[in-house]
Amino acid sequence: MDFHTERGLDREEGPSQTPEEEPRRVSGGSSTTEFTYTDPVQSFVDTVRDLVTRPADFFSGIARRGDFVNPLIFALICVVVTAVIGGFLGILGAIVGIGDRGVGAAIGGLVGSVLLTPIFYAIGLFIGAGILHLLVALIIKPAATGYEATFRALSYSAVGQLVGWIPFLGPLIAAVAGVVLSIIGVREVHNTTTGKAALVVLIPAAIVILIALIIAFLIGAALFFTLQQ
């Protein structure tokens, strides 16, 4: 994976360009071939390939505004693919007797996952992009890019979800890939340094982890005192 760090850590931030000084780039006019629902198969393959092999170039070339739909669909395809593969693996496991779920429950889990995952992921994507862009406004203060640029970067970073179905290591790999790609994406679409982009992405992640640890501690403490009585 090409991080192109010389474009981030070693890049000096010059005077910000105004929207009038920077050419408006929209889907169809960007220098990167992005996913489009009018050519779903080939554009999906091309987008995945570019995100894996040259992420910095991909994010630097995408449109900053003009299209929420295609990046959102790309992200939802990634999570649905993982949900479908994971669901079928669950059904196969139930058939061969792995785990304690029956085949009927595994099929129900597959259907529920396929129906609910894209809904919750889309909601989380819009909210997550809003949180990230708030930090972008506070830390980076871009003059020529807005919320949509952050949303697009976060949406394409969902490509890591394609390996989330792999047992045991899949979710961890997907999470790490998502964080790394989000940092690269925020850096490129907002023309900032790797350090500032990392702060934008890692601060919410750290808060989520801290909250999860606090909840786990409180649950553990409650169980401990309950068993002591």
Side-chain angles (χ1 to χ4, degrees), residues 17-24 65 143-144:
Q17 289 181 304
T18 64
E20 290 77 16
E21 293 171 332
E22 180 182 273
R24 179 180 174 87
R65 61 183 71 88

Short mmCIF file of all heavy atoms in Angstrom, two decimals, residues 17-24 65 143-144:
data_model
loop_
_atom_site.label_atom_id
_atom_site.label_comp_id
_atom_site.label_asym_id
_atom_site.label_seq_id
_atom_site.Cartn_x
_atom_site.Cartn_y
_atom_site.Cartn_z
N GLN A 17 -6.43 27.84 -0.84
CA GLN A 17 -7.07 28.35 -2.02
C GLN A 17 -8.55 28.56 -1.75
O GLN A 17 -9.17 27.84 -0.98
CB GLN A 17 -6.93 27.34 -3.18
CG GLN A 17 -5.53 27.25 -3.72
CD GLN A 17 -5.48 26.27 -4.87
OE1 GLN A 17 -5.87 25.11 -4.71
NE2 GLN A 17 -5.02 26.72 -6.01
N THR A 18 -9.11 29.55 -2.36
CA THR A 18 -10.54 29.78 -2.25
C THR A 18 -11.24 28.93 -3.29
O THR A 18 -10.62 28.47 -4.24
CB THR A 18 -10.86 31.26 -2.51
OG1 THR A 18 -10.50 31.56 -3.86
CG2 THR A 18 -10.09 32.16 -1.56
N PRO A 19 -12.53 28.74 -3.12
CA PRO A 19 -13.24 27.94 -4.11
C PRO A 19 -13.11 28.49 -5.52
O PRO A 19 -13.16 27.77 -6.48
CB PRO A 19 -14.70 27.99 -3.62
CG PRO A 19 -14.60 28.21 -2.15
CD PRO A 19 -13.38 29.08 -1.98
N GLU A 20 -12.93 29.83 -5.64
CA GLU A 20 -12.78 30.41 -6.96
C GLU A 20 -11.42 30.08 -7.56
O GLU A 20 -11.28 29.98 -8.77
CB GLU A 20 -12.93 31.94 -6.87
CG GLU A 20 -14.36 32.39 -6.56
CD GLU A 20 -14.71 32.22 -5.09
OE1 GLU A 20 -13.78 32.03 -4.27
OE2 GLU A 20 -15.91 32.26 -4.76
N GLU A 21 -10.40 29.92 -6.72
CA GLU A 21 -9.06 29.64 -7.21
C GLU A 21 -8.88 28.18 -7.57
O GLU A 21 -8.06 27.83 -8.40
CB GLU A 21 -8.01 30.03 -6.15
CG GLU A 21 -7.96 31.54 -5.91
CD GLU A 21 -7.10 31.86 -4.71
OE1 GLU A 21 -7.01 31.00 -3.82
OE2 GLU A 21 -6.52 32.95 -4.65
N GLU A 22 -9.64 27.30 -6.92
CA GLU A 22 -9.50 25.86 -7.16
C GLU A 22 -10.58 25.41 -8.13
O GLU A 22 -11.76 25.68 -7.93
CB GLU A 22 -9.64 25.08 -5.86
CG GLU A 22 -9.51 23.59 -6.07
CD GLU A 22 -9.71 22.84 -4.77
OE1 GLU A 22 -8.72 22.67 -4.05
OE2 GLU A 22 -10.85 22.44 -4.49
N PRO A 23 -10.22 24.72 -9.20
CA PRO A 23 -11.24 24.25 -10.15
C PRO A 23 -12.24 23.34 -9.46
O PRO A 23 -11.87 22.48 -8.67
CB PRO A 23 -10.41 23.47 -11.20
CG PRO A 23 -9.03 24.01 -11.06
CD PRO A 23 -8.87 24.37 -9.62
N ARG A 24 -13.48 23.55 -9.72
CA ARG A 24 -14.53 22.71 -9.13
C ARG A 24 -14.47 21.34 -9.77
O ARG A 24 -14.54 21.18 -10.98
CB ARG A 24 -15.91 23.34 -9.38
CG ARG A 24 -17.06 22.51 -8.81
CD ARG A 24 -18.38 23.21 -9.12
NE ARG A 24 -19.50 22.40 -8.71
CZ ARG A 24 -20.02 22.40 -7.51
NH1 ARG A 24 -19.50 23.16 -6.59
NH2 ARG A 24 -21.06 21.64 -7.22
N ARG A 65 -16.88 17.42 -4.36
CA ARG A 65 -18.29 17.72 -4.14
C ARG A 65 -19.08 17.30 -5.38
O ARG A 65 -18.50 16.98 -6.40
CB ARG A 65 -18.51 19.21 -3.86
CG ARG A 65 -18.05 20.11 -4.99
CD ARG A 65 -18.22 21.58 -4.65
NE ARG A 65 -17.26 22.00 -3.66
CZ ARG A 65 -16.03 22.45 -3.95
NH1 ARG A 65 -15.63 22.50 -5.20
NH2 ARG A 65 -15.21 22.83 -3.00
N ALA A 143 -10.36 25.68 3.47
CA ALA A 143 -11.05 26.83 2.89
C ALA A 143 -11.87 26.45 1.67
O ALA A 143 -12.81 27.13 1.31
CB ALA A 143 -10.04 27.91 2.51
N ALA A 144 -11.50 25.36 0.99
CA ALA A 144 -12.12 25.06 -0.30
C ALA A 144 -12.84 23.71 -0.34
O ALA A 144 -13.37 23.34 -1.36
CB ALA A 144 -11.06 25.10 -1.40
#
